[in-house]
Amino acid sequence: MSMTRNDPAPAEWDTDHLRLAVEAARIALWSWNVDTNRFTMDELGFDLWGLPWSEAVRFEELSARIHPTDRDRVQEAFTATRSVEGPYEIDFRICFGDEVRWVSARGRGADAGIVDRVMFGIFLDVTGRKQAEEGNELLAGEMSHRVKNLLTMASSLTTLTSRSSSSLAEMTEGLTKRLSALGRAHDLVRPLPQRQGNAASFGDLLDVLLAPYDNRDASSARVRISVPPMSVGVRSATALAMVVHELATNSVKYGALSAETGLLDVSAMQDEDTVTLVWAEAGGPEIAEEPEMRGFGTRMMQRSQAGQLGGSIAYDWRTSGLVAKLALQRALLAE
């Protein structure tokens, strides 16, 4: 037989069982004498506020633990509950020691349920929920910022690629590859809640960017990567992705990656302030003379190096293949 809303509570809901339910839900109980500002709380309430248990505590003592930014708002809100009908919920921060907690105070307004000038309500620890909300807000803000940056960069790439292309097909191919390189880099360093996942391994980033140019099905890889463990941030990953893509594109067209016997070795050295990435090609077509470096890709690499990575790039055109050295600032690489 089903129960209706007018049916009495089952007999098993006695005081002890209600207490067990309250404790299981981690609900702290409070009462407030509206004339004397005297608060009483159960043991969980004092534990939540980081106070030793006592028979009562004054409202001023609790207010001293409320975060200074929230204190006036909470005091005004509690005062307003005396005249505003209906249930209320006030969320605020409390501080003790180095710890900050979010607390939700809930009750009924307009003196509903008042007994002998005493109001009743509960406190809930909502720290986890608030941290998740803050993380989601940070994530949304960061994603919005990154989308704007990507759109700006895509617009710039479109303009510059069109200037350096002799046909629509060439422009389409070049732009698609450059945008794909950006996408692979951003996939690796996509932001996650609470700032987790905003950095990628230097080696992992290079491996992802250079994987399309490697022969993973062969008995031996033609792309070798050996770099020390370090992190690359979101901002630097974008710039580095474009630099690596342009070097790889040139290698596929004219260098080691254009030949079946070609090899690419990418290594890095670091000191206190600088990371030097060495791009060494071998086994490709013999280089008779140093080529002119005036194209869009070269200008973009120089812009990325000098601007976002705070470094420089030097080319050594050896007969056996190009050796390029990219100087990167360690501090900027992590951004």
Side-chain angles (χ1 to χ4, degrees), residues 121-251:
I122 65 168
F123 289 130
L124 289 177
D125 186 343
V126 293
T127 305
R129 172 168 63 83
K130 287 293 185 179
Q131 289 176 342
E133 290 173 358
E134 291 172 355
N136 288 335
E137 289 175 2
L138 288 172
L139 175 60
E142 185 167 352
M143 287 300 298
S144 175
H145 177 70
R146 292 185 67 190
V147 168
K148 290 178 181 178
N149 286 345
L150 280 174
L151 290 175
T152 300
M153 180 167 287
S155 177
S156 177
L157 286 174
T158 302
T159 301
L160 293 173
T161 304
S162 66
R163 292 174 183 172
S164 62
S165 302
S166 58
S167 68
L168 180 59
E170 183 181 349
M171 174 185 168
T172 301
E173 181 182 5
L175 182 59
T176 299
K177 288 182 177 179
R178 287 179 175 117
L179 292 177
S180 295
L182 281 180
R184 290 193 296 270
H186 276 262
D187 280 344
L188 195 60
V189 291
R190 62 186 183 277
L192 298 174
Q194 300 182 14
R195 295 286 179 180
Q196 300 174 359
N198 275 348
S201 162
F202 192 21
D204 288 347
L205 180 61
L206 291 173
D207 185 67
V208 167
L209 294 173
L210 293 174
Y213 309 100
D214 199 4
N215 187 0
R216 299 294 173 95
D217 296 329
S219 57
S220 61
R222 65 190 311 210
V223 177
R224 296 190 293 258
I225 300 172
S226 177
V227 297
M230 64 183 72
S231 295
V232 178
V234 176
R235 180 172 176 269
S236 293
T238 302
L240 190 60
M242 298 313 300
V243 171
V244 170
H245 169 72
E246 293 304 323
L247 286 170
T249 298
N250 289 335
S251 182

Side-chain angles (χ1 to χ4, degrees), residues 304-325:
S304 297
Q305 282 290 106
Q308 292 175 279
L309 300 174
S312 61
I313 182 168
Y315 301 95
D316 182 4
W317 297 97
R318 302 177 185 179
T319 304
S320 58
L322 169 65
V323 176
K325 292 186 178 180

Side-chain angles (χ1 to χ4, degrees), residues 32-38 82 111 114 116-119:
W32 170 35
N33 188 303
V34 297
D35 294 329
T36 66
N37 269 344
R38 180 178 181 269
R82 297 293 312 283
D111 290 349
I114 193 168
D116 296 331
R117 307 297 294 165
V118 177
M119 299 293 296

Side-chain angles (χ1 to χ4, degrees), residues 264-278:
L264 171 63
D265 187 86
V266 181
S267 59
M269 302 171 290
Q270 61 178 326
D271 56 29
E272 185 175 348
D273 300 317
T274 306
V275 175
T276 301
L277 184 69
V278 180

